Amino acid sequence: MREFPNRKGVMLIGGMPATKMAERFGTPVMVTDENALRENYRAVWKAFNDHFPTRVNYACKANTNLSILRVLEQEGTFIDAVSIGEVESCLRAGFVPERILYTGVAVSDAEMLALVKANVPINVDSVPQLRRLAKMDPKHPISLRVNPDVGSGHSAKVVTGAKGAKFGIPKDEIISAYREALDLGFSPRGLHAHTGSGGSDPQVFGRVTEVLVEMFERVRSELGLKLEFLDIGGGLGIPYRPEEHPTDLNAVAAEVADRLKGSSVRTLVIEPGRYIVADTTVLLTTVQDIKRTPVKDYALVDAGFNTLIRPAFYDSYHHVAVANKFDRPAESKYDVAGPICESGDYLAKERMLPKVEAGDLLCIYDVGAYGFTMSSNYNTRPRCAEVLMKGGKAALIRERETVADMFRHQKVPARLRK
Ligand SMILES: *Cc1c(COP(=O)(O)O)cnc(C)c1O
């Protein structure tokens, strides 16, 4: 959680009063601080490179806004992409194909062919996928994803590395998968695993590194194949609650580097998504009504799980502040809920806030990762605008959708037209 300054009772975001942003761009709106983005990238790059030569592949499914990708491209990041849409976004943002690593599951032939044509390296998820790729281009740059049997995550829904997960080649089959890749004509470059998302326990990163190093050395000794990189995936967590501590990057990096010592690994790759973007962005949403029920009070706002699904989907905590009463003490308890017609639609539960009235502006923290990218048009609600702050100046980086946008792509057969 970042701290925001207070100017005369109003929260300042990237140097601008939140109320001014809401007036200028409307709500709901997501506002990103460019400096914070650059700081996060540099912090993670430095922490790991202080211990071991490390390439940072930003996991762009967390946030694919083109302007945000531009900032990170300038910073020198590489990319972890999981769909052709993400690949195209990164190419459009100026990344050369060699700076992208595609890791996909359930990949169609059409998508694979597009990756081959675009020259984007593929991190192969299974042996059947490998065989399909061999028919298209047996010289394509590849690495293999293993299921390391080490899982982690903030919710069961995001654990990817546990035994039986749909991701990766089972641990016991990885040597034969490399052998088959060589037989098919490939020159595999790396070994990859991703345990899950939102963990902050350095031990997990150490454990997966240990498992991968052992395989890495077996590939070398049993097959004579010298891989270029060992990729331990992403999953670095952030503190969403005020009482939580920031992830100790140095401790994670030290733990990982310790397991690499004495190995033949020369390049480590990490794939942080959340860590780089989550705390750079807030969601501003306006209170429409206060509803008092016999059980609880609601602050009803113009953003629901169509805008931010993490609370409803994962039971995630996002911190809330009243942006236009930023210096007032908390005195009443509210559930913050949106306009979606489901009682599971909420942004926050049982929060002590200053007394809230209709027209107040709420700020939801840490929405930069899996915020906009997981938003939807449910209830036929247009998606929100996005703004990028730099030096006190605001730039609109995504227009708010309109209701007219909801009709694009729909076709009504002639017999039904009016
Ligand atoms: C989602 C994902 C990541 C990033 O996870 P974070 O928790 O956002 O760091 C990295 N690698 C792969 C393969 C992923 O699917």
Side-chain angles (χ1 to χ4, degrees), residues 59 61 80 82 103 145 192 194 197-198 234-236 271-274 370:
K61 72 174 183 286
D80 160 55
V82 297
T103 296
R145 176 177 191 168
H192 166 276
H194 172 61
S197 192
L236 289 170
E271 301 175 334
R274 182 187 316 276
Y370 311 106

Side-chain angles (χ1 to χ4, degrees), residues 7-224:
R7 189 196 281 164
K8 296 182 193 143
V10 177
M11 187 175 187
L12 280 189
I13 301 162
M16 186 183 274
T19 44
K20 190 170 162 191
M21 288 174 186
E23 264 165 44
R24 199 161 138 199
F25 300 105
T27 59
V29 61
M30 290 188 185
V31 183
T32 299
D33 183 344
E34 184 173 326
N35 289 345
L37 190 60
R38 293 184 187 274
E39 268 170 32
N40 286 352
Y41 176 80
R42 288 174 198 182
V44 77
W45 190 91
K46 184 170 188 313
F48 278 83
N49 278 280
D50 277 351
H51 291 272
F52 201 86
T54 305
R55 199 172 90 191
V56 177
N57 289 12
Y58 164 59
C60 72
K61 72 174 183 286
N63 192 324
T64 42
N65 183 288
L66 292 175
S67 302
I68 285 168
L69 292 175
R70 281 296 310 132
V71 172
L72 293 172
E73 195 279 331
Q74 286 182 346
E75 288 294 321
T77 193
F78 285 62
I79 291 287
D80 160 55
V82 297
S83 75
I84 191 70
E86 288 186 357
V87 166
E88 296 275 352
S89 301
C90 294
L91 292 173
R92 188 176 279 230
F95 287 88
V96 292
E98 303 79 65
R99 268 170 82 183
I100 304 172
L101 178 61
Y102 172 95
T103 296
V105 65
V107 184
S108 70
D109 279 345
E111 183 146 331
M112 216 184 300
L113 196 58
L115 293 162
V116 166
K117 284 198 176 132
N119 250 323
V120 170
I122 298 176
N123 188 32
V124 176
D125 184 74
S126 70
V127 171
Q129 195 189 90
L130 181 73
R131 291 176 188 152
R132 283 196 290 136
L133 180 60
K135 288 195 190 125
M136 292 177 195
D137 179 12
K139 294 281 169 227
H140 196 77
I142 63 160
S143 47
L144 297 187
R145 176 177 191 168
V146 66
N147 178 332
D149 194 4
V150 180
S152 71
H154 64 82
S155 149
K157 290 190 176 90
V158 299
V159 175
T160 53
K163 196 182 281 185
K166 71 172 174 179
F167 303 98
I169 296 165
K171 214 173 139 180
D172 299 339
E173 295 165 29
I174 193 71
I175 298 294
S176 68
Y178 276 104
R179 186 174 293 122
E180 179 156 353
L182 289 169
D183 290 347
L184 287 166
F186 292 106
S187 309
R189 297 172 175 191
L191 171 63
H192 166 276
H194 172 61
T195 61
S197 192
S200 44
D201 179 4
Q203 304 287 334
V204 171
F205 294 94
R207 238 182 306 139
V208 73
T209 307
E210 194 172 305
V211 169
L212 289 178
V213 165
E214 197 213 308
M215 287 178 205
F216 196 93
E217 301 299 355
R218 277 188 63 199
V219 169
R220 192 184 165 100
S221 61
E222 293 179 29
L223 305 175

Side-chain angles (χ1 to χ4, degrees), residues 410-418:
Q410 294 197 56
K411 299 222 183 289
V412 179
R415 64 191 167 78
L416 295 176
R417 277 184 213 146
K418 191 164 166 170

